[in-house]
Amino acid sequence: MPEDTHNLPHFLPHVRLDGPESGTPLILGPSVGTSLTVWEPQLAALARVHRVLRWDLPGHGGTPADVIPRAAGTATVADLAALVLRAADAQGWESFAYAGVSIGGAVGLHLAAHYPERVTALAVVCSSARFGEPATWRERATLVRAEGTEAMVASRPGTWFAPAFASTPLGHALIEDLRATDPAGYAACCDALAVYDLRGALPSITAPTLVVAGRDDPATPPAHAREITDAIPGSSLLEIAGAAHLAGVEKPETVTNALLAHFAPPPAHTDASRHAAGMRVRRAVLGSAHVDRAVSRTTPFTARFQDFITRYAWGEIWTSETLDRRTRSCITLTALVAHGHEAELALHVRAALTNGLTRDEIGEVLLQTAVYCGVPAANSAFAVAQSVFDDLDRVDYLEDQVDD
């Protein structure tokens, strides 16, 4: 049974609302040490169709630390979930979609498990059903209560994101959020994570669930995300290469597109709705830049074909939840190798990386094609894939030089 968190004093967290008042309700939860700012990269896109409510943790951003008035060492994730329910109630929302990062994701899992009638859809970003040993979190709470949140600043670059990202405007703003966080509020969140363990309740979650993991996340490694996905019936997993703990900050387009696709309303069975759904998934898999180029090159002669592939290939096949996108990428790579479509193969090698396959996994797929599609075809495919990897490495190197 869920805890009776409604008996806590009716304090509300600091919230901010964006998007049309008629939009479908969507609540976004932050990670420890951050504020509303952590969702800035996704906000504009999500607020086009959703009424977006962002909330601050106790002692973070605009929320006072005593919003959950508990003695030191006694705060729980259930207390934080109660704050979210009160914020939703204040808007008159009987139900809502929810996405959360780290502890914000833990709050979402708690809500979906204990208040299933409230959560229509759930996205869990770089989170866990159990965040390690309780002693680790109690030690961090003690440290922050004694020395303040400045004690955590040096370790966040490399944990939240690649160290070079800390010098960007958004990276700097997030570090400053941490510095401004009330030590009592930060420590209370650590206390909550120390006693949090939702592993046994995961199979009871019925909300459509997307789990997102940063491939380079040292705080909640991909194994944590796989544990959640394996336990929640029908859930899907997206692993993002080159992303650490704040994947939505470091790889904003990939996370944004995944959330847009996940929280999109079920498509009505019309050509227009299939086209709209197909365009969302096409952008999520191939990237908006590629799709924009393809659309800009559309002529009266090619318009019907562009509509066909968007509406049918992307709007009916790729949108089906029967197979996850990683599996679809494996199948697509194999088919393209078999038929020698090298230009399309290069495009879908990039798409496979977006869909969570590693370079080694792509290599394994191509090796499998050598057995069933022929060695010459696989030989050409390996050359195409290597060329794609080289281009990506070259871009990363140039970006690193600019950052330096």
Side-chain angles (χ1 to χ4, degrees):
M1 294 291 292
E3 294 182 32
D4 186 10
T5 53
H6 290 282
N7 288 333
L8 291 172
H10 284 194
F11 297 138
L12 288 170
H14 171 251
V15 304
R16 185 170 299 169
L17 288 160
D18 294 276
E21 292 186 7
S22 60
T24 55
L26 172 61
I27 298 179
L28 303 179
S31 62
V32 177
T34 71
S35 72
L36 307 177
T37 303
V38 76
W39 283 106
E40 285 292 338
Q42 285 71 47
L43 181 62
L46 294 174
R48 290 192 189 104
V49 293
H50 297 281
R51 183 63 166 171
V52 178
L53 184 152
R54 292 176 291 163
W55 62 283
D56 278 327
L57 292 161
H60 296 61
T63 300
D66 62 357
V67 73
I68 48 173
R70 291 285 197 99
T74 62
T76 66
V77 168
D79 295 337
L80 302 177
L83 294 179
V84 173
L85 291 178
R86 290 186 206 119
D89 291 344
Q91 300 303 317
W93 294 350
E94 293 183 1
S95 61
F96 47 85
Y98 184 94
V101 183
S102 194
I103 194 173
V107 170
L109 289 170
H110 180 94
L111 289 169
H114 295 304
Y115 302 93
E117 74 283 359
R118 303 296 300 265
V119 181
T120 60
L122 173 65
V124 180
V125 182
C126 297
S127 191
S128 182
R130 181 177 183 267
F131 290 80
E133 293 300 321
T136 301
W137 291 103
R138 293 190 180 108
E139 289 168 5
R140 184 185 294 193
T142 299
L143 173 66
V144 170
R145 284 188 174 103
E147 301 182 17
T149 55
E150 186 67 34
M152 300 304 304
V153 168
S155 63
R156 294 311 86 189
T159 299
W160 281 357
F161 32 64
F165 191 88
S167 62
T168 67
L170 183 52
H172 178 75
L174 289 165
I175 294 297
E176 290 306 306
D177 273 348
L178 174 59
R179 285 196 167 101
T181 298
D182 187 314
Y186 188 104
C189 291
C190 294
D191 293 336
L193 291 177
V195 295
Y196 165 78
D197 187 346
L198 205 72
R199 290 174 293 181
L202 293 178
S204 69
I205 292 177
T206 56
T209 301
L210 169 68
V211 184
V212 178
R215 184 79 65 170
D216 300 329
D217 183 359
T220 52
H224 290 229
R226 295 185 197 119
E227 182 178 42
I228 296 172
T229 310
D230 289 344
I232 298 178
S235 60
S236 58
L237 171 64
L238 172 63
E239 294 184 19
I240 302 176
H245 192 52
L246 298 186
V249 169
E250 204 165 14
K251 299 292 181 181
E253 184 177 12
T254 301
V255 173
T256 299
N257 288 334
L259 294 176
L260 287 173
H262 181 64
F263 289 127
H269 295 295
T270 65
D271 284 348
S273 65
R274 291 187 186 99
H275 188 281
M279 187 60 76
R280 285 192 296 269
V281 177
R282 191 178 177 189
R283 289 183 181 279
V285 174
L286 301 182
S288 290
H290 168 82
V291 175
D292 288 342
R293 287 193 298 271
V295 171
S296 69
R297 292 195 297 265
T298 301
T299 67
F301 180 67
T302 63
R304 287 183 65 192
F305 177 71
Q306 285 293 320
D307 174 70
F308 168 73
I309 61 174
T310 302
R311 178 170 39 83
Y312 180 63
W314 295 103
E316 293 193 23
I317 305 304
W318 276 88
T319 53
S320 171
E321 296 182 356
T322 305
L323 298 176
D324 61 34
R325 291 183 189 172
R326 281 170 52 88
T327 303
R328 292 188 185 279
S329 278
C330 292
I331 295 169
T332 303
L333 293 176
T334 303
L336 293 172
V337 172
H339 288 277
H341 299 308
E342 294 186 1
E344 286 284 311
L345 177 61
L347 175 65
H348 277 277
V349 167
R350 291 175 179 267
L353 293 170
T354 299
N355 285 341
L357 289 174
T358 65
R359 296 187 183 190
D360 286 344
E361 288 168 338
I362 291 171
E364 194 69 22
V365 171
L366 299 185
L367 193 61
Q368 184 88 358
T369 66
V371 178
Y372 292 96
C373 302
V375 170
N379 184 49
S380 297
F382 270 101
V384 170
Q386 186 62 62
S387 178
V388 170
F389 298 156
D390 291 343
D391 287 344
L392 293 172
D393 291 340
R394 190 177 302 111
V395 170
D396 288 343
Y397 172 76
L398 292 174
E399 290 179 349
D400 288 343
Q401 294 299 102
V402 171
D403 290 339
D404 291 344

